[in-house]
Amino acid sequence: MKSWRSITIVLSIVMVLGGCTKHEIGKPNADKVSPNEGISTSGDVQTEQSVSEDHKDKLSEAEAEELKMNKYNAYIMLNNIITGRLNDVMEHYLKTFSSKPNIKFNKKHNYWVRSFVDRDETYIKKAFELARQEPAFDPLDTAALNLEPSMNKLIGYVKEAHDYYDLKMYVDDQFEKGKQLHNQILSSYDEYEKATEVFILALSKISEQHLKETMEQLKENDQLLRYSALQFISDANALTAEMDEQGINASNVLDIDMKKFKKMYDSLKSTMESLIQYSSDDTRVRSEGFSPNQLNMFMDNAKAVKVAASEIIERINDKNKVPDYKLRAEFALKHEKGTPEKYNAAVIAAINIYNQGIY
């Protein structure tokens, strides 16, 4: 099973601007016609109709930008579901059952399948609907439409399997339906993974450019608190991506390439210092339009990311291997100090807070 976790983080942080266009950032009234607009330097006053048409053009541009951002954000939500909940569901399923077909069930084992969230299905449906609408995002639209059949099929089988094991229906049919569902899940998952890879790579290309433009716009408009928050998440994600690239997890965390890790950690630490500085400036916080409560929540989560990264260094310095009994406790690793699992959970929490409110 391919891990998309680091790609999740890269994509989910780019929702920073919502529906703002390049000209609207830091300018709350940019969509309003000023008293001097429509007046030429030669002294010829445009007609009221011309001013009205100019205003309509501005509204049309704003509406077009809003449609573009709505579609882009719908794809972001789809990506987050793919690399978030659905990724977790499938990781657990393949670990609990098998990645091979025609398995033999142990009647003494208490089988269960993680549930899928109905709200996520609403987001998925919206993304696929928008894939058929303007503005065009090709080749991303094509990738999304190619993903739709296998994703819907996979989710359908997973939901059916959840109900089957939740109700212990395997007691009634001696796992006959379970065997059938297992093969159907594996078959649809194979198709889904191939289509997912194409979709995520297509979205990555768009998001990289969007992130670059976003960072430039924030700096240009002296929104240095937002800039630092976004930079912090980007730095945090770089650490996640590096550990993914090295294949590091709780079981082999002591094998991490410390030279590469420390370089990225130092960047994260530096950005954290800037973030603390700007977030302590009440004037800047107000001027950049932050909700104090949401900002405080984000800062708490950002600090948790920094602490989790520091704990990894502490574990490595102390040569403190994670005990085998803790490695067997899958869910507990997200709370175990000095593990990539805890670090990744902290990063995801910070990104969720960022996307939910402070932008």
Side-chain angles (χ1 to χ4, degrees):
M1 177 178 180
K2 186 176 180 65
S3 172
W4 304 107
R5 181 65 66 191
S6 61
I7 299 179
T8 307
I9 299 171
V10 169
L11 297 177
S12 61
I13 63 178
V14 297
M15 295 172 65
V16 59
L17 295 180
C20 294
T21 67
K22 181 175 181 179
H23 302 292
E24 292 171 330
I25 300 169
K27 299 180 181 179
N29 298 318
D31 61 330
K32 296 181 180 179
V33 179
S34 72
N36 293 325
E37 277 194 83
I39 300 176
S40 71
T41 56
S42 64
D44 294 330
V45 180
Q46 289 186 342
T47 64
E48 183 178 340
Q49 181 179 0
S50 298
V51 174
S52 177
E53 289 299 322
D54 186 52
H55 184 57
K56 287 181 180 178
D57 288 342
K58 286 182 176 294
L59 288 177
S60 296
E61 289 177 10
E63 289 167 355
E65 186 66 20
E66 184 177 2
L67 288 173
K68 179 180 178 181
M69 288 306 300
N70 284 343
K71 186 170 186 176
Y72 178 76
N73 285 345
Y75 280 144
I76 292 296
M77 291 302 298
L78 178 60
N79 171 82
N80 290 350
I81 292 165
I82 290 170
T83 58
R85 183 61 184 178
L86 188 50
N87 186 71
D88 291 343
V89 167
M90 289 307 302
E91 278 187 347
H92 176 266
Y93 181 87
L94 295 176
K95 184 175 180 179
T96 302
F97 294 85
S98 173
S99 59
K100 298 179 180 179
N102 305 318
I103 61 170
K104 293 182 179 180
F105 287 87
N106 181 352
K107 295 181 180 181
K108 295 182 180 180
H109 186 78
N110 183 28
Y111 291 100
W112 63 283
V113 176
R114 286 186 177 177
S115 62
F116 198 74
V117 184
D118 290 339
R119 181 184 69 253
D120 286 348
E121 289 192 80
T122 301
Y123 291 134
I124 292 169
K125 183 179 179 181
K126 178 182 178 181
F128 290 140
E129 286 176 351
L130 290 177
R132 296 175 166 83
Q133 300 175 20
E134 295 293 333
F137 276 46
D138 277 330
L140 183 55
D141 291 338
T142 300
L145 293 175
N146 288 337
L147 170 63
E148 183 179 16
S150 60
M151 187 171 187
N152 286 340
K153 193 187 301 182
L154 176 63
I155 291 172
Y157 288 141
V158 168
K159 290 177 67 178
E160 191 175 352
H162 170 265
D163 293 343
Y164 176 80
Y165 291 102
D166 189 49
L167 295 173
K168 295 188 180 293
M169 296 170 68
Y170 52 85
V171 174
D172 305 322
D173 68 356
Q174 302 301 307
F175 290 100
E176 282 303 312
K177 183 66 174 178
K179 294 175 184 177
Q180 178 185 342
L181 283 170
H182 180 69
N183 290 340
Q184 289 172 325
I185 287 173
L186 292 187
S187 177
S188 59
Y189 183 66
D190 184 55
E191 297 174 18
Y192 163 82
E193 267 209 311
K194 293 174 183 176
T196 293
E197 183 167 8
V198 176
F199 171 78
I200 288 180
L201 292 179
L203 183 54
S204 295
K205 291 179 181 179
I206 293 177
S207 71
E208 286 170 7
Q209 181 61 31
H210 182 72
L211 177 60
K212 181 181 177 181
E213 292 174 357
T214 296
M215 298 290 282
E216 290 173 355
Q217 291 165 16
L218 291 174
K219 215 166 188 179
E220 285 175 11
N221 288 279
D222 191 38
Q223 292 182 294
L224 298 181
L225 176 51
R226 292 183 185 275
Y227 176 90
S228 296
L230 192 55
Q231 184 63 56
F232 179 82
I233 294 174
S234 182
D235 290 344
N237 176 66
L239 270 179
T240 296
E242 179 59 34
M243 287 188 286
D244 282 352
E245 181 68 23
Q246 292 186 35
I248 298 297
N249 53 47
S251 68
N252 63 356
V253 64
L254 299 186
D255 297 333
I256 196 168
D257 185 329
M258 196 58 182
K259 185 177 180 180
K260 292 181 179 179
F261 184 90
K262 189 63 165 55
K263 182 180 179 180
M264 294 180 178
Y265 171 82
D266 287 342
S267 179
L268 180 78
K269 182 175 66 172
S270 176
T271 306
M272 180 83 251
E273 292 169 357
S274 296
L275 190 54
I276 291 173
Q277 176 189 341
Y278 292 129
S279 65
S280 301
D281 184 342
D282 292 339
T283 301
R284 177 173 291 281
V285 170
R286 287 194 299 271
S287 69
E288 294 194 29
F290 279 96
S291 159
N293 289 338
Q294 286 288 352
L295 179 58
N296 288 338
M297 289 175 64
F298 174 74
M299 289 302 299
D300 287 344
N301 280 273
K303 290 173 183 177
V305 170
K306 162 56 173 73
V307 169
S310 298
E311 289 171 346
I312 291 176
I313 293 178
E314 284 184 321
R315 181 179 288 278
I316 293 171
N317 288 343
D318 295 342
K319 296 181 171 55
N320 182 17
K321 184 180 178 181
V322 180
D324 288 342
Y325 76 90
K326 289 188 176 181
L327 292 175
R328 290 192 290 271
E330 178 184 352
F331 301 109
L333 288 176
K334 293 182 180 181
H335 305 284
E336 179 68 20
K337 291 182 179 181
T339 64
E341 287 80 357
K342 182 183 178 183
Y343 174 80
N344 292 341
V347 174
I348 292 168
I351 290 168
N352 286 338
I353 292 296
Y354 186 88
N355 280 344
Q356 288 168 14
I358 75 166
Y359 62 88

